[in-house]
mmCIF file with all atom_site columns, all heavy atoms in Angstrom:
data_model
loop_
_atom_site.group_PDB
_atom_site.id
_atom_site.type_symbol
_atom_site.label_atom_id
_atom_site.label_alt_id
_atom_site.label_comp_id
_atom_site.label_asym_id
_atom_site.label_entity_id
_atom_site.label_seq_id
_atom_site.pdbx_PDB_ins_code
_atom_site.Cartn_x
_atom_site.Cartn_y
_atom_site.Cartn_z
_atom_site.occupancy
_atom_site.B_iso_or_equiv
_atom_site.pdbx_formal_charge
_atom_site.auth_seq_id
_atom_site.auth_comp_id
_atom_site.auth_asym_id
_atom_site.auth_atom_id
_atom_site.pdbx_PDB_model_num
ATOM 1   N N   . VAL A 1 1  ? 94.007  151.140 84.167 1.00 0.00 ? 1  VAL A N   1
ATOM 2   C CA  . VAL A 1 1  ? 93.323  151.891 85.265 1.00 0.00 ? 1  VAL A CA  1
ATOM 3   C C   . VAL A 1 1  ? 92.829  150.932 86.365 1.00 0.00 ? 1  VAL A C   1
ATOM 4   O O   . VAL A 1 1  ? 91.937  150.057 86.036 1.00 0.00 ? 1  VAL A O   1
ATOM 5   C CB  . VAL A 1 1  ? 92.229  152.839 84.822 1.00 0.00 ? 1  VAL A CB  1
ATOM 6   C CG1 . VAL A 1 1  ? 91.621  153.479 86.003 1.00 0.00 ? 1  VAL A CG1 1
ATOM 7   C CG2 . VAL A 1 1  ? 92.736  153.786 83.794 1.00 0.00 ? 1  VAL A CG2 1
ATOM 8   N N   . ALA A 1 2  ? 93.386  151.043 87.522 1.00 0.00 ? 2  ALA A N   1
ATOM 9   C CA  . ALA A 1 2  ? 92.878  150.090 88.598 1.00 0.00 ? 2  ALA A CA  1
ATOM 10  C C   . ALA A 1 2  ? 91.549  150.526 89.152 1.00 0.00 ? 2  ALA A C   1
ATOM 11  O O   . ALA A 1 2  ? 91.206  151.631 89.212 1.00 0.00 ? 2  ALA A O   1
ATOM 12  C CB  . ALA A 1 2  ? 93.871  150.232 89.819 1.00 0.00 ? 2  ALA A CB  1
ATOM 13  N N   . GLU A 1 3  ? 90.617  149.502 89.120 1.00 0.00 ? 3  GLU A N   1
ATOM 14  C CA  . GLU A 1 3  ? 89.243  149.716 89.638 1.00 0.00 ? 3  GLU A CA  1
ATOM 15  C C   . GLU A 1 3  ? 88.604  148.530 90.169 1.00 0.00 ? 3  GLU A C   1
ATOM 16  O O   . GLU A 1 3  ? 88.946  147.373 89.796 1.00 0.00 ? 3  GLU A O   1
ATOM 17  C CB  . GLU A 1 3  ? 88.378  150.472 88.770 1.00 0.00 ? 3  GLU A CB  1
ATOM 18  C CG  . GLU A 1 3  ? 87.958  149.612 87.505 1.00 0.00 ? 3  GLU A CG  1
ATOM 19  C CD  . GLU A 1 3  ? 86.990  150.388 86.550 1.00 0.00 ? 3  GLU A CD  1
ATOM 20  O OE1 . GLU A 1 3  ? 86.129  151.004 87.098 1.00 0.00 ? 3  GLU A OE1 1
ATOM 21  O OE2 . GLU A 1 3  ? 87.241  150.250 85.342 1.00 0.00 ? 3  GLU A OE2 1
ATOM 22  N N   . GLU A 1 4  ? 87.629  148.650 91.031 1.00 0.00 ? 4  GLU A N   1
ATOM 23  C CA  . GLU A 1 4  ? 86.817  147.532 91.505 1.00 0.00 ? 4  GLU A CA  1
ATOM 24  C C   . GLU A 1 4  ? 85.478  148.047 91.671 1.00 0.00 ? 4  GLU A C   1
ATOM 25  O O   . GLU A 1 4  ? 85.136  149.188 92.119 1.00 0.00 ? 4  GLU A O   1
ATOM 26  C CB  . GLU A 1 4  ? 87.375  147.115 92.970 1.00 0.00 ? 4  GLU A CB  1
ATOM 27  C CG  . GLU A 1 4  ? 86.461  145.962 93.514 1.00 0.00 ? 4  GLU A CG  1
ATOM 28  C CD  . GLU A 1 4  ? 86.943  145.675 95.016 1.00 0.00 ? 4  GLU A CD  1
ATOM 29  O OE1 . GLU A 1 4  ? 87.860  146.228 95.401 1.00 0.00 ? 4  GLU A OE1 1
ATOM 30  O OE2 . GLU A 1 4  ? 86.157  144.944 95.586 1.00 0.00 ? 4  GLU A OE2 1
ATOM 31  N N   . CYS A 1 5  ? 84.497  147.215 91.141 1.00 0.00 ? 5  CYS A N   1
ATOM 32  C CA  . CYS A 1 5  ? 83.121  147.542 91.227 1.00 0.00 ? 5  CYS A CA  1
ATOM 33  C C   . CYS A 1 5  ? 82.249  146.332 91.228 1.00 0.00 ? 5  CYS A C   1
ATOM 34  O O   . CYS A 1 5  ? 82.797  145.359 90.847 1.00 0.00 ? 5  CYS A O   1
ATOM 35  C CB  . CYS A 1 5  ? 82.573  148.535 90.199 1.00 0.00 ? 5  CYS A CB  1
ATOM 36  S SG  . CYS A 1 5  ? 82.774  148.027 88.531 1.00 0.00 ? 5  CYS A SG  1
ATOM 37  N N   . THR A 1 6  ? 81.023  146.416 91.560 1.00 0.00 ? 6  THR A N   1
ATOM 38  C CA  . THR A 1 6  ? 80.054  145.237 91.424 1.00 0.00 ? 6  THR A CA  1
ATOM 39  C C   . THR A 1 6  ? 78.960  145.782 90.488 1.00 0.00 ? 6  THR A C   1
ATOM 40  O O   . THR A 1 6  ? 78.424  146.787 90.756 1.00 0.00 ? 6  THR A O   1
ATOM 41  C CB  . THR A 1 6  ? 79.415  144.900 92.875 1.00 0.00 ? 6  THR A CB  1
ATOM 42  O OG1 . THR A 1 6  ? 80.718  144.504 93.665 1.00 0.00 ? 6  THR A OG1 1
ATOM 43  C CG2 . THR A 1 6  ? 78.619  143.723 92.755 1.00 0.00 ? 6  THR A CG2 1
ATOM 44  N N   . ASP A 1 7  ? 78.605  144.931 89.590 1.00 0.00 ? 7  ASP A N   1
ATOM 45  C CA  . ASP A 1 7  ? 77.501  145.204 88.647 1.00 0.00 ? 7  ASP A CA  1
ATOM 46  C C   . ASP A 1 7  ? 76.645  143.993 88.546 1.00 0.00 ? 7  ASP A C   1
ATOM 47  O O   . ASP A 1 7  ? 77.049  142.893 88.285 1.00 0.00 ? 7  ASP A O   1
ATOM 48  C CB  . ASP A 1 7  ? 77.988  145.472 87.326 1.00 0.00 ? 7  ASP A CB  1
ATOM 49  C CG  . ASP A 1 7  ? 76.963  145.872 86.207 1.00 0.00 ? 7  ASP A CG  1
ATOM 50  O OD1 . ASP A 1 7  ? 75.872  146.098 86.615 1.00 0.00 ? 7  ASP A OD1 1
ATOM 51  O OD2 . ASP A 1 7  ? 77.363  145.964 85.072 1.00 0.00 ? 7  ASP A OD2 1
ATOM 52  N N   . ASN A 1 8  ? 75.352  144.136 89.024 1.00 0.00 ? 8  ASN A N   1
ATOM 53  C CA  . ASN A 1 8  ? 74.328  143.036 88.989 1.00 0.00 ? 8  ASN A CA  1
ATOM 54  C C   . ASN A 1 8  ? 74.846  141.846 89.706 1.00 0.00 ? 8  ASN A C   1
ATOM 55  O O   . ASN A 1 8  ? 74.671  140.663 89.307 1.00 0.00 ? 8  ASN A O   1
ATOM 56  C CB  . ASN A 1 8  ? 74.012  142.676 87.615 1.00 0.00 ? 8  ASN A CB  1
ATOM 57  C CG  . ASN A 1 8  ? 72.666  142.016 87.381 1.00 0.00 ? 8  ASN A CG  1
ATOM 58  O OD1 . ASN A 1 8  ? 71.751  142.349 88.228 1.00 0.00 ? 8  ASN A OD1 1
ATOM 59  N ND2 . ASN A 1 8  ? 72.521  141.130 86.582 1.00 0.00 ? 8  ASN A ND2 1
ATOM 60  N N   . GLY A 1 9  ? 75.550  142.146 90.814 1.00 0.00 ? 9  GLY A N   1
ATOM 61  C CA  . GLY A 1 9  ? 76.149  141.012 91.598 1.00 0.00 ? 9  GLY A CA  1
ATOM 62  C C   . GLY A 1 9  ? 77.480  140.362 91.195 1.00 0.00 ? 9  GLY A C   1
ATOM 63  O O   . GLY A 1 9  ? 77.943  139.499 91.822 1.00 0.00 ? 9  GLY A O   1
ATOM 64  N N   . ILE A 1 10 ? 77.992  140.859 90.090 1.00 0.00 ? 10 ILE A N   1
ATOM 65  C CA  . ILE A 1 10 ? 79.263  140.344 89.576 1.00 0.00 ? 10 ILE A CA  1
ATOM 66  C C   . ILE A 1 10 ? 80.447  141.306 89.923 1.00 0.00 ? 10 ILE A C   1
ATOM 67  O O   . ILE A 1 10 ? 80.203  142.630 89.766 1.00 0.00 ? 10 ILE A O   1
ATOM 68  C CB  . ILE A 1 10 ? 79.268  140.222 88.092 1.00 0.00 ? 10 ILE A CB  1
ATOM 69  C CG1 . ILE A 1 10 ? 78.085  139.389 87.643 1.00 0.00 ? 10 ILE A CG1 1
ATOM 70  C CG2 . ILE A 1 10 ? 80.613  139.661 87.443 1.00 0.00 ? 10 ILE A CG2 1
ATOM 71  C CD1 . ILE A 1 10 ? 78.169  137.813 88.107 1.00 0.00 ? 10 ILE A CD1 1
ATOM 72  N N   . LEU A 1 11 ? 81.382  140.808 90.608 1.00 0.00 ? 11 LEU A N   1
ATOM 73  C CA  . LEU A 1 11 ? 82.504  141.637 90.977 1.00 0.00 ? 11 LEU A CA  1
ATOM 74  C C   . LEU A 1 11 ? 83.458  141.891 89.797 1.00 0.00 ? 11 LEU A C   1
ATOM 75  O O   . LEU A 1 11 ? 83.751  140.865 89.167 1.00 0.00 ? 11 LEU A O   1
ATOM 76  C CB  . LEU A 1 11 ? 83.367  140.935 92.066 1.00 0.00 ? 11 LEU A CB  1
ATOM 77  C CG  . LEU A 1 11 ? 84.674  141.558 92.468 1.00 0.00 ? 11 LEU A CG  1
ATOM 78  C CD1 . LEU A 1 11 ? 84.482  142.911 93.155 1.00 0.00 ? 11 LEU A CD1 1
ATOM 79  C CD2 . LEU A 1 11 ? 85.545  140.751 93.317 1.00 0.00 ? 11 LEU A CD2 1
ATOM 80  N N   . LEU A 1 12 ? 83.693  143.049 89.424 1.00 0.00 ? 12 LEU A N   1
ATOM 81  C CA  . LEU A 1 12 ? 84.581  143.406 88.314 1.00 0.00 ? 12 LEU A CA  1
ATOM 82  C C   . LEU A 1 12 ? 85.906  144.114 88.897 1.00 0.00 ? 12 LEU A C   1
ATOM 83  O O   . LEU A 1 12 ? 85.776  145.082 89.502 1.00 0.00 ? 12 LEU A O   1
ATOM 84  C CB  . LEU A 1 12 ? 83.777  144.353 87.299 1.00 0.00 ? 12 LEU A CB  1
ATOM 85  C CG  . LEU A 1 12 ? 82.578  143.876 86.802 1.00 0.00 ? 12 LEU A CG  1
ATOM 86  C CD1 . LEU A 1 12 ? 81.885  144.874 86.116 1.00 0.00 ? 12 LEU A CD1 1
ATOM 87  C CD2 . LEU A 1 12 ? 82.695  142.599 85.877 1.00 0.00 ? 12 LEU A CD2 1
ATOM 88  N N   . PHE A 1 13 ? 87.001  143.402 88.596 1.00 0.00 ? 13 PHE A N   1
ATOM 89  C CA  . PHE A 1 13 ? 88.194  143.719 89.310 1.00 0.00 ? 13 PHE A CA  1
ATOM 90  C C   . PHE A 1 13 ? 89.381  143.913 88.244 1.00 0.00 ? 13 PHE A C   1
ATOM 91  O O   . PHE A 1 13 ? 89.698  143.157 87.557 1.00 0.00 ? 13 PHE A O   1
ATOM 92  C CB  . PHE A 1 13 ? 88.691  142.796 90.307 1.00 0.00 ? 13 PHE A CB  1
ATOM 93  C CG  . PHE A 1 13 ? 89.897  143.216 91.068 1.00 0.00 ? 13 PHE A CG  1
ATOM 94  C CD1 . PHE A 1 13 ? 89.944  144.194 91.952 1.00 0.00 ? 13 PHE A CD1 1
ATOM 95  C CD2 . PHE A 1 13 ? 90.983  142.411 90.989 1.00 0.00 ? 13 PHE A CD2 1
ATOM 96  C CE1 . PHE A 1 13 ? 91.050  144.635 92.616 1.00 0.00 ? 13 PHE A CE1 1
ATOM 97  C CE2 . PHE A 1 13 ? 92.201  142.656 91.711 1.00 0.00 ? 13 PHE A CE2 1
ATOM 98  C CZ  . PHE A 1 13 ? 92.188  143.806 92.524 1.00 0.00 ? 13 PHE A CZ  1
ATOM 99  N N   . ASN A 1 14 ? 89.909  145.161 88.211 1.00 0.00 ? 14 ASN A N   1
ATOM 100 C CA  . ASN A 1 14 ? 91.122  145.518 87.313 1.00 0.00 ? 14 ASN A CA  1
ATOM 101 C C   . ASN A 1 14 ? 92.241  146.002 88.253 1.00 0.00 ? 14 ASN A C   1
ATOM 102 O O   . ASN A 1 14 ? 92.086  146.873 89.036 1.00 0.00 ? 14 ASN A O   1
ATOM 103 C CB  . ASN A 1 14 ? 90.721  146.644 86.482 1.00 0.00 ? 14 ASN A CB  1
ATOM 104 C CG  . ASN A 1 14 ? 91.844  147.015 85.380 1.00 0.00 ? 14 ASN A CG  1
ATOM 105 O OD1 . ASN A 1 14 ? 93.013  146.796 85.697 1.00 0.00 ? 14 ASN A OD1 1
ATOM 106 N ND2 . ASN A 1 14 ? 91.372  147.427 84.244 1.00 0.00 ? 14 ASN A ND2 1
ATOM 107 N N   . PRO A 1 15 ? 93.421  145.151 88.206 1.00 0.00 ? 15 PRO A N   1
ATOM 108 C CA  . PRO A 1 15 ? 94.431  145.520 89.179 1.00 0.00 ? 15 PRO A CA  1
ATOM 109 C C   . PRO A 1 15 ? 95.333  146.793 88.795 1.00 0.00 ? 15 PRO A C   1
ATOM 110 O O   . PRO A 1 15 ? 96.164  147.122 89.410 1.00 0.00 ? 15 PRO A O   1
ATOM 111 C CB  . PRO A 1 15 ? 95.347  144.305 89.168 1.00 0.00 ? 15 PRO A CB  1
ATOM 112 C CG  . PRO A 1 15 ? 95.163  143.764 87.718 1.00 0.00 ? 15 PRO A CG  1
ATOM 113 C CD  . PRO A 1 15 ? 93.746  144.016 87.536 1.00 0.00 ? 15 PRO A CD  1
ATOM 114 N N   . GLY A 1 16 ? 94.965  147.316 87.576 1.00 0.00 ? 16 GLY A N   1
ATOM 115 C CA  . GLY A 1 16 ? 95.842  148.405 87.004 1.00 0.00 ? 16 GLY A CA  1
ATOM 116 C C   . GLY A 1 16 ? 97.043  147.870 86.204 1.00 0.00 ? 16 GLY A C   1
ATOM 117 O O   . GLY A 1 16 ? 96.953  146.724 85.656 1.00 0.00 ? 16 GLY A O   1
ATOM 118 N N   . SER A 1 17 ? 98.066  148.600 86.146 1.00 0.00 ? 17 SER A N   1
ATOM 119 C CA  . SER A 1 17 ? 99.200  148.217 85.341 1.00 0.00 ? 17 SER A CA  1
ATOM 120 C C   . SER A 1 17 ? 100.484 148.279 86.055 1.00 0.00 ? 17 SER A C   1
ATOM 121 O O   . SER A 1 17 ? 100.600 149.173 86.923 1.00 0.00 ? 17 SER A O   1
ATOM 122 C CB  . SER A 1 17 ? 99.202  149.150 84.161 1.00 0.00 ? 17 SER A CB  1
ATOM 123 O OG  . SER A 1 17 ? 100.412 148.990 83.395 1.00 0.00 ? 17 SER A OG  1
ATOM 124 N N   . LEU A 1 18 ? 101.434 147.407 85.689 1.00 0.00 ? 18 LEU A N   1
ATOM 125 C CA  . LEU A 1 18 ? 102.830 147.485 86.234 1.00 0.00 ? 18 LEU A CA  1
ATOM 126 C C   . LEU A 1 18 ? 103.703 148.082 85.169 1.00 0.00 ? 18 LEU A C   1
ATOM 127 O O   . LEU A 1 18 ? 104.871 148.018 85.249 1.00 0.00 ? 18 LEU A O   1
ATOM 128 C CB  . LEU A 1 18 ? 103.346 146.203 86.665 1.00 0.00 ? 18 LEU A CB  1
ATOM 129 C CG  . LEU A 1 18 ? 102.804 145.778 88.153 1.00 0.00 ? 18 LEU A CG  1
ATOM 130 C CD1 . LEU A 1 18 ? 103.223 144.266 88.476 1.00 0.00 ? 18 LEU A CD1 1
ATOM 131 C CD2 . LEU A 1 18 ? 103.209 146.682 89.180 1.00 0.00 ? 18 LEU A CD2 1
ATOM 132 N N   . SER A 1 19 ? 103.149 148.669 84.174 1.00 0.00 ? 19 SER A N   1
ATOM 133 C CA  . SER A 1 19 ? 103.921 149.267 83.045 1.00 0.00 ? 19 SER A CA  1
ATOM 134 C C   . SER A 1 19 ? 104.579 150.514 83.530 1.00 0.00 ? 19 SER A C   1
ATOM 135 O O   . SER A 1 19 ? 104.122 151.238 84.376 1.00 0.00 ? 19 SER A O   1
ATOM 136 C CB  . SER A 1 19 ? 103.089 149.648 81.852 1.00 0.00 ? 19 SER A CB  1
ATOM 137 O OG  . SER A 1 19 ? 103.661 150.584 80.994 1.00 0.00 ? 19 SER A OG  1
ATOM 138 N N   . ALA A 1 20 ? 105.896 150.707 83.119 1.00 0.00 ? 20 ALA A N   1
ATOM 139 C CA  . ALA A 1 20 ? 106.707 151.817 83.499 1.00 0.00 ? 20 ALA A CA  1
ATOM 140 C C   . ALA A 1 20 ? 106.053 153.203 82.957 1.00 0.00 ? 20 ALA A C   1
ATOM 141 O O   . ALA A 1 20 ? 106.412 154.199 83.465 1.00 0.00 ? 20 ALA A O   1
ATOM 142 C CB  . ALA A 1 20 ? 108.052 151.749 82.888 1.00 0.00 ? 20 ALA A CB  1
ATOM 143 N N   . TYR A 1 21 ? 105.067 153.045 82.053 1.00 0.00 ? 21 TYR A N   1
ATOM 144 C CA  . TYR A 1 21 ? 104.458 154.205 81.467 1.00 0.00 ? 21 TYR A CA  1
ATOM 145 C C   . TYR A 1 21 ? 103.120 154.606 82.075 1.00 0.00 ? 21 TYR A C   1
ATOM 146 O O   . TYR A 1 21 ? 102.388 155.466 81.681 1.00 0.00 ? 21 TYR A O   1
ATOM 147 C CB  . TYR A 1 21 ? 104.263 154.087 79.972 1.00 0.00 ? 21 TYR A CB  1
ATOM 148 C CG  . TYR A 1 21 ? 105.561 153.676 79.301 1.00 0.00 ? 21 TYR A CG  1
ATOM 149 C CD1 . TYR A 1 21 ? 105.764 152.409 78.940 1.00 0.00 ? 21 TYR A CD1 1
ATOM 150 C CD2 . TYR A 1 21 ? 106.707 154.622 79.272 1.00 0.00 ? 21 TYR A CD2 1
ATOM 151 C CE1 . TYR A 1 21 ? 107.075 152.099 78.427 1.00 0.00 ? 21 TYR A CE1 1
ATOM 152 C CE2 . TYR A 1 21 ? 107.894 154.318 78.753 1.00 0.00 ? 21 TYR A CE2 1
ATOM 153 C CZ  . TYR A 1 21 ? 108.133 153.006 78.339 1.00 0.00 ? 21 TYR A CZ  1
ATOM 154 O OH  . TYR A 1 21 ? 109.299 152.700 77.732 1.00 0.00 ? 21 TYR A OH  1
ATOM 155 N N   . SER A 1 22 ? 102.724 153.906 83.187 1.00 0.00 ? 22 SER A N   1
ATOM 156 C CA  . SER A 1 22 ? 101.379 154.139 83.734 1.00 0.00 ? 22 SER A CA  1
ATOM 157 C C   . SER A 1 22 ? 101.426 155.342 84.748 1.00 0.00 ? 22 SER A C   1
ATOM 158 O O   . SER A 1 22 ? 102.524 155.678 85.183 1.00 0.00 ? 22 SER A O   1
ATOM 159 C CB  . SER A 1 22 ? 100.878 152.895 84.662 1.00 0.00 ? 22 SER A CB  1
ATOM 160 O OG  . SER A 1 22 ? 100.750 151.824 83.679 1.00 0.00 ? 22 SER A OG  1
ATOM 161 N N   . ALA A 1 23 ? 100.344 155.936 84.985 1.00 0.00 ? 23 ALA A N   1
ATOM 162 C CA  . ALA A 1 23 ? 100.229 157.116 85.869 1.00 0.00 ? 23 ALA A CA  1
ATOM 163 C C   . ALA A 1 23 ? 100.777 156.691 87.287 1.00 0.00 ? 23 ALA A C   1
ATOM 164 O O   . ALA A 1 23 ? 101.562 157.444 87.874 1.00 0.00 ? 23 ALA A O   1
ATOM 165 C CB  . ALA A 1 23 ? 98.922  157.614 85.969 1.00 0.00 ? 23 ALA A CB  1
ATOM 166 N N   . PHE A 1 24 ? 100.361 155.437 87.684 1.00 0.00 ? 24 PHE A N   1
ATOM 167 C CA  . PHE A 1 24 ? 101.035 154.882 88.813 1.00 0.00 ? 24 PHE A CA  1
ATOM 168 C C   . PHE A 1 24 ? 100.883 153.320 88.722 1.00 0.00 ? 24 PHE A C   1
ATOM 169 O O   . PHE A 1 24 ? 100.004 152.890 87.996 1.00 0.00 ? 24 PHE A O   1
ATOM 170 C CB  . PHE A 1 24 ? 100.296 155.221 90.190 1.00 0.00 ? 24 PHE A CB  1
ATOM 171 C CG  . PHE A 1 24 ? 98.863  154.848 90.387 1.00 0.00 ? 24 PHE A CG  1
ATOM 172 C CD1 . PHE A 1 24 ? 98.472  153.621 90.970 1.00 0.00 ? 24 PHE A CD1 1
ATOM 173 C CD2 . PHE A 1 24 ? 97.834  155.623 89.958 1.00 0.00 ? 24 PHE A CD2 1
ATOM 174 C CE1 . PHE A 1 24 ? 97.287  153.235 91.119 1.00 0.00 ? 24 PHE A CE1 1
ATOM 175 C CE2 . PHE A 1 24 ? 96.520  155.262 90.216 1.00 0.00 ? 24 PHE A CE2 1
ATOM 176 C CZ  . PHE A 1 24 ? 96.187  153.992 90.661 1.00 0.00 ? 24 PHE A CZ  1
#
């Protein structure tokens, strides 16, 4: 699951997936 957020000043970044089985 792609997401970006900041927690206590730390950037947390997930690019999601390039799997053929992902929602997108």
Side-chain angles (χ1 to χ4, degrees):
V1 177
E3 71 176 317
E4 175 186 352
C5 65
T6 301
D7 183 8
N8 203 35
I10 305 293
L11 173 68
L12 304 172
F13 182 66
N14 185 330
S17 171
L18 282 177
S19 166
Y21 307 106
S22 295
F24 67 88

